[in-house]
């Protein structure tokens, strides 16, 4: 039976997976994990959905994604350890590593260490930069490798499980997604506007407090 088309951004990257298969998972996850802004996580989700629908082997998807994620972050670690701030200052802007983001991330690493490496997989921005920042912060490679592998296993396991279940029930889920898509988009827009409004309110409040009394 013909599978329904994938929704949203998943449909945008599906042709890449259709053409390159497992190589797309390996390549995009690998290069995303040392800072290149490509849809590595999205291709993993699509591959898991494909596997759930019987179009790929879910074990192969998980193993390939795990290996690519660990190797990619280790490349990032080497870049940070041996290139350091010099490379980031020169080329960081091309891979979304601004000086402000690097400074903030280094402080976070200093305070939380291995926990950040583990959780960074699930945070956009940190996922791409955590290897580079760990190397720059002087974290030991063995410690980084352990927490990096733990984070990769949790990240891959979560998305492969979720995507596999979604793919196995795509015929049921897709009509529901279409039916409630508008409501979801409206709810997301309301949440985003509320967050922006809260940020602007607190920013104005801080600016007002900093102004000297007349």
């Amino acid at each position: 039976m013909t599978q329904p088309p994938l929704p949203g951004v998943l449909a945008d990257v599906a042709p890449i997976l259709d053409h390159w298969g497992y190589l797309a998972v390996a390549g995009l996850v690998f290069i995303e994990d040392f800072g290149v802004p490509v849809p590595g996580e999205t291709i993993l989700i699509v591959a898991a959905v494909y596997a759930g629908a019987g179009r790929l082997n879910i074990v192969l998807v998980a193993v390939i994604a795990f290996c690519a994620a660990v190797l990619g972050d280790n490349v990032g670690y080497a870049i940070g350890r041996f290139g350091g701030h010099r490379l980031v200052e020169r080329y960081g802007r091309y891979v979304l590593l601004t000086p402000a983001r690097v400074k903030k991330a280094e402080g976070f690493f200093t305070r939380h260490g291995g926990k950040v490496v583990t959780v960074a997989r699930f945070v956009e921005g940190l996922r791409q930069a955590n290897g580079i920042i760990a190397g720059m912060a002087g974290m030991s490679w063995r410690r980084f490798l352990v927490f990096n592998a733990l984070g990769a296993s949790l990240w891959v396991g979560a998305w492969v499980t979720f995507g596999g279940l979604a793919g196995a029930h795509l015929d049921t889920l897709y009509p529901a997604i279409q039916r409630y898509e508008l409501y979801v988009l409206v709810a997301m827009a309301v949440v985003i506007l509320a967050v922006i409004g809260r940020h602007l309110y607190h920013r104005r409040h801080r600016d007002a407090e900093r102004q000297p009394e007349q």
Side-chain angles (χ1 to χ4, degrees), residues 42-121:
T42 304
I43 206 74
L44 170 60
I45 297 170
V46 175
V49 171
Y50 273 35
R55 296 164 68 176
L56 290 174
N57 184 296
I58 198 162
V59 175
L60 274 178
V61 169
V63 170
I64 290 170
F66 172 80
C67 293
V70 171
L71 290 172
D73 262 357
N74 274 273
V75 170
Y77 178 89
I79 292 171
R81 189 64 180 264
F82 301 110
H85 291 86
R86 179 174 56 83
L87 287 176
V88 171
E89 288 173 2
R90 178 173 292 185
Y91 302 109
R93 63 183 181 275
Y94 298 115
V95 292
L96 307 181
L97 282 179
T98 62
R101 177 176 288 180
V102 170
K103 183 177 179 180
K104 183 177 180 180
E106 280 187 300
F108 209 60
F109 266 84
T110 301
R111 293 191 300 272
H112 302 285
K115 292 182 291 185
V116 179
V117 175
T118 303
V119 177
R121 290 280 174 191

